Amino acid sequence: VTGRWITWKQLVLSIGLLAVLVFLPLKAVGAESSVPLDHVEVDVKDQDSLQNGFKYYMSYCSSCHSLQYARYERTANDLGIPNDVILDSVIFNEHQIGDLMENSMSTDNAKNWFGAAPPDLTLIGRVRSPEWLYTYLRTFYADSSRPWGVNNVVFPNVGMPNVLHELKGDVVCAGGDMAHCELEHVDGTGSMTPEEFDNTVADIVNFLYYIGEPVRAQREYMGFFVLGFLAILFVFTSLLNREYWKKIH
């Protein structure tokens, strides 16, 4: 009996430790902003979303932000895009299909223009939560006191211009001070409706979530088999443990 009690006690302690190791990092990620974050669905198996996010990322983000830990060919294969399409529509410099996705902006020029070199975004989907990225990209607003004429609710006084302004249009702080700004979209501005813009930003976030861990889908798929194996192993281990304690008692 004592042996069985120790076994179950250890099991309970192990489950408790696992819960702490899992939920504390999640809580820390959720607390990365004092501003309420908007929910966004991410699905690395949705190729249509990933392709659309990749398209808009390359069109509006890649000139400043590189993806220097990812390769064109791997991304194209994962997203179901033929290599010749990437060469004709995405790569406009001397890069080849097997190269890393770096840009041509020099560090010195970046510091002169923005005050600091724009960070590489290969791992931004792991450093920041999808909800943070989604809210950040959607909460730029006009602020004449800032060098680029815009500010951000999630990242106050950010040094980045609103590169998606063409799509969303003008957004103003309609109520409250700059620290508690209520955003209002100016009707008739932007090439997209607010709903279309939100969907586009969600696709960009989904792509950044994918690019931070391209093997995520395969890892999750393999996880089911690993858990199944552990479940079967637990049954046989429990039966073996019972047989051992029969002989002792």
Side-chain angles (χ1 to χ4, degrees):
V1 177
T2 303
R4 292 180 184 179
W5 164 247
I6 293 175
T7 301
W8 285 107
K9 184 178 180 180
Q10 291 174 338
L11 178 61
V12 171
L13 290 175
S14 299
I15 294 175
L17 179 61
L18 179 62
V20 171
L21 294 176
V22 169
F23 289 108
L24 280 183
L26 292 176
K27 187 174 181 60
V29 170
E32 65 182 345
S33 174
S34 60
V35 176
L37 302 178
D38 298 325
H39 177 70
V40 61
E41 294 288 343
V42 289
D43 182 4
V44 295
K45 299 176 184 177
D46 187 349
Q47 283 198 344
D48 290 338
S49 172
L50 294 175
Q51 290 176 5
N52 196 49
F54 181 45
K55 178 183 72 174
Y56 280 101
Y57 179 90
M58 297 305 296
S59 298
Y60 290 93
C61 309
S62 63
S63 58
C64 295
H65 297 281
S66 63
L67 298 172
Q68 62 180 348
Y69 303 111
R71 296 186 184 275
Y72 290 104
E73 187 174 25
R74 169 63 189 270
T75 303
N77 293 339
D78 286 348
L79 272 55
I81 304 174
N83 288 352
D84 57 343
V85 174
I86 296 294
L87 291 170
D88 294 339
S89 304
V90 176
I91 302 176
F92 297 106
N93 48 33
E94 70 280 1
H95 286 174
Q96 301 299 316
I97 190 66
D99 290 345
L100 297 169
M101 290 192 279
E102 300 173 330
N103 59 25
S104 57
M105 178 182 291
S106 69
T107 302
D108 292 338
N109 287 338
K111 289 181 178 179
N112 290 333
W113 296 336
F114 303 107
D120 178 86
L121 296 185
T122 313
L123 300 177
I124 193 64
R126 302 182 70 176
V127 175
R128 299 288 192 179
S129 68
E131 289 76 14
W132 191 95
L133 293 171
Y134 180 66
T135 309
Y136 168 71
L137 290 174
R138 294 169 55 253
T139 55
F140 279 92
Y141 62 93
D143 183 356
S144 59
S145 66
R146 298 297 301 157
W148 293 98
V150 293
N151 211 325
N152 190 274
V153 173
V154 177
F155 197 148
N157 300 326
V158 65
M160 172 181 162
N162 183 12
V163 296
L164 301 179
H165 174 269
E166 174 188 12
L167 304 179
K168 184 167 186 178
D170 298 330
V171 176
V172 296
C173 183
D177 55 22
M178 292 299 179
H180 303 86
C181 196
E182 295 182 8
L183 302 185
E184 182 177 295
H185 177 256
V186 179
D187 293 337
T189 62
S191 61
M192 293 182 174
T193 65
E195 293 76 15
E196 290 173 340
F197 179 76
D198 288 348
N199 291 334
T200 297
V201 172
D203 289 340
I204 296 174
V205 171
N206 197 29
F207 170 72
L208 291 173
Y209 184 68
Y210 147 78
I211 206 69
E213 189 181 358
V215 297
R216 186 186 301 272
Q218 293 91 327
R219 173 175 60 79
E220 293 176 352
Y221 176 75
M222 292 178 60
F224 289 107
F225 294 97
V226 173
L227 292 175
F229 170 78
L230 292 177
I232 296 172
L233 181 64
F234 176 77
V235 172
F236 285 104
T237 304
S238 300
L239 294 174
L240 181 62
N241 178 71
R242 186 173 65 178
E243 291 300 318
Y244 278 136
W245 284 102
K246 279 182 179 180
K247 295 180 180 179
I248 293 176
H249 295 288

